[in-house]
Amino acid sequence: MQNRIVQLEEGKENGIPIVRSGQYKGFPSKLLLLLGFFLAFSVTVFIISVSTIKFSGIQSVVTTVTSSFVPCREEEPNSLSKWIQPPAVLMHNMSDEELLWRASFWPRRKEYPFERVPKIAFMFLTKGPLPLAMLWERFLKGHKGLYSVYLHPHPSFTAKFPASSVFHRRQIPSQVAEWGRMSMCDAEKRLLANALLDISNEWFVLVSESCIPLFNFTTIYSYLSRSKHSFMGAFDDPGPFGRGRYNGNMEPEVPLSKWRKGSQWFEVNRDLAATIVKDTLYYPKFKEFCRPACYVDEHYFPTMFFFFFFFF
């Protein structure tokens, strides 16, 4: 025992630090007091903050978030207004195929679940300007809500009318239409399809820039609304400018006995307009086998309508 104590004391004298287990340095009281004060201060600040948020802050945040939320009503898929409102802008990016597909939708029921005022769609198939625009302006004046106007000029032409004009912003996407070729019928179908997008259009009148109304609007509207018929020329011409234009390759869809001729200008109701735009049976035959000197705009619609009335 004495030897061990002597060795420890000798180590101390030699400058070697001696660590004895079980002995610790005391924690400074000032530092402990400072930590306690800091902890108490933190708890006090936390309680005050929670109380402030509870009684005022949360309500403000909720109010701000709620007021900034705007429901996207235009995306409601089940809204009836989506189907009955006419397009606000006639210019669109749809292809002809997409347009005809969209326009081929039409209600099978005659009754409408909303108040509908039927309108006349005046469809102008033109080369460019409308030299008789002032006459048509006078004809349509005072009858807003009973008509629609659609312009299909050459694609290089842009119609410029004042905001007060019935022709203002009524031009549709157009393509080149060549007389006697299928592109002319394509232009007519394009006009019909765009007009069909307005559910209120009931009668569709195809006119050119040289056409003029012979009666006032009231008379024409009354006549069309009371008539049970559409108006399109269709007759059997046995001569060289009728049956003489027929191509036997159009059979069996289009036999010679059903071949008809007529004027390209017409007035049709909504059902017949939809029948035109949805046709995929006769269109390919006429496009391939009715070319000059077979003028397709004089035969395609008359023959198709003869089939429609003959079978239905």
Side-chain angles (χ1 to χ4, degrees):
M1 186 69 178
Q2 291 179 354
N3 293 333
R4 184 177 181 183
I5 294 174
V6 171
Q7 292 176 357
L8 290 175
E9 289 178 351
E10 290 178 353
K12 181 178 180 181
E13 292 175 354
N14 294 330
I16 301 174
I18 300 174
V19 179
R20 293 178 174 83
S21 60
Q23 295 183 3
Y24 296 93
K25 189 177 181 179
F27 197 85
S29 58
K30 292 183 179 181
L31 183 58
L32 182 62
L33 182 61
L34 181 62
L35 290 175
F37 176 77
F38 178 76
L39 180 60
F41 177 77
S42 301
V43 171
T44 303
V45 172
F46 175 76
I47 295 174
I48 294 174
S49 301
V50 170
S51 301
T52 303
I53 294 175
K54 180 177 180 181
F55 291 103
S56 61
I58 291 180
Q59 295 179 359
S60 300
V61 172
V62 172
T63 303
T64 303
V65 173
T66 303
S67 61
S68 63
F69 176 73
V70 179
C72 188
R73 298 185 180 276
E74 294 183 358
E75 299 297 328
E76 294 180 0
N78 297 324
S79 175
L80 181 62
S81 61
K82 177 181 178 181
W83 297 96
I84 65 177
Q85 291 295 330
V89 180
L90 295 186
M91 299 301 291
H92 54 75
N93 296 323
M94 287 187 286
S95 66
D96 277 357
E97 191 67 23
E98 294 169 337
L99 174 64
L100 295 176
W101 179 84
R102 172 63 183 87
S104 64
F105 299 164
W106 82 96
R108 298 291 184 173
R109 297 184 62 172
K110 296 298 182 182
E111 301 80 12
Y112 290 87
F114 57 92
E115 185 177 354
R116 175 180 181 263
V117 179
K119 298 189 296 186
I120 303 175
F122 292 97
M123 306 177 301
F124 289 81
L125 180 58
T126 72
K127 296 180 180 178
L130 293 174
L132 301 175
M134 293 184 62
L135 177 62
W136 283 99
E137 295 268 10
R138 184 175 180 180
F139 169 73
L140 297 172
K141 185 177 180 180
H143 302 285
K144 186 177 181 180
L146 298 178
Y147 66 86
S148 300
V149 173
Y150 300 87
L151 303 177
H152 186 295
H154 190 278
S156 64
F157 176 79
T158 301
K160 297 180 180 179
F161 293 95
S164 59
S165 172
V166 299
F167 297 104
H168 179 63
R169 299 180 65 181
R170 302 308 298 176
Q171 182 172 337
I172 67 171
S174 60
Q175 297 182 28
V176 175
E178 299 178 277
W179 180 75
R181 297 187 178 275
M182 202 57 173
S183 59
M184 183 67 70
C185 295
D186 290 335
E188 297 172 13
K189 296 178 75 171
R190 202 172 293 122
L191 279 164
L192 283 170
N194 278 277
L196 280 168
L197 298 182
D198 186 343
I199 194 67
S200 294
N201 286 333
E202 184 63 29
W203 306 285
F204 302 78
V205 182
L206 180 67
V207 294
S208 72
E209 66 269 34
S210 61
C211 291
I212 59 173
L214 299 180
F215 300 92
N216 61 33
F217 181 86
T218 302
T219 301
I220 292 178
Y221 186 91
S222 177
Y223 183 84
L224 293 180
S225 61
R226 294 179 181 180
S227 176
K228 298 180 179 180
H229 305 285
S230 292
F231 300 89
M232 176 176 290
F235 61 94
D236 183 10
D237 181 0
F241 302 112
R243 292 198 176 197
R245 297 173 175 174
Y246 178 78
N247 188 323
N249 291 316
M250 302 183 76
E251 291 185 334
E253 289 82 0
V254 184
L256 177 61
S257 60
K258 304 297 188 296
W259 179 258
R260 293 296 181 270
K261 180 181 179 180
S263 171
Q264 73 175 108
W265 313 106
F266 58 78
E267 180 277 324
V268 295
N269 60 29
R270 190 172 185 87
D271 287 342
L272 293 182
T275 300
I276 292 176
V277 302
K278 77 179 184 67
D279 172 54
T280 57
L281 176 62
Y282 305 112
Y283 181 88
K285 289 290 185 177
F286 278 91
K287 184 177 183 178
E288 184 175 0
F289 299 113
C290 185
R291 301 180 180 182
C294 175
Y295 301 105
V296 67
D297 54 291
E298 296 180 359
H299 296 280
Y300 174 42
F301 292 155
T303 301
M304 182 171 60
F305 277 121
F306 180 79
F307 273 95
F308 181 81
F309 288 113
F310 183 81
F311 290 106
F312 299 99

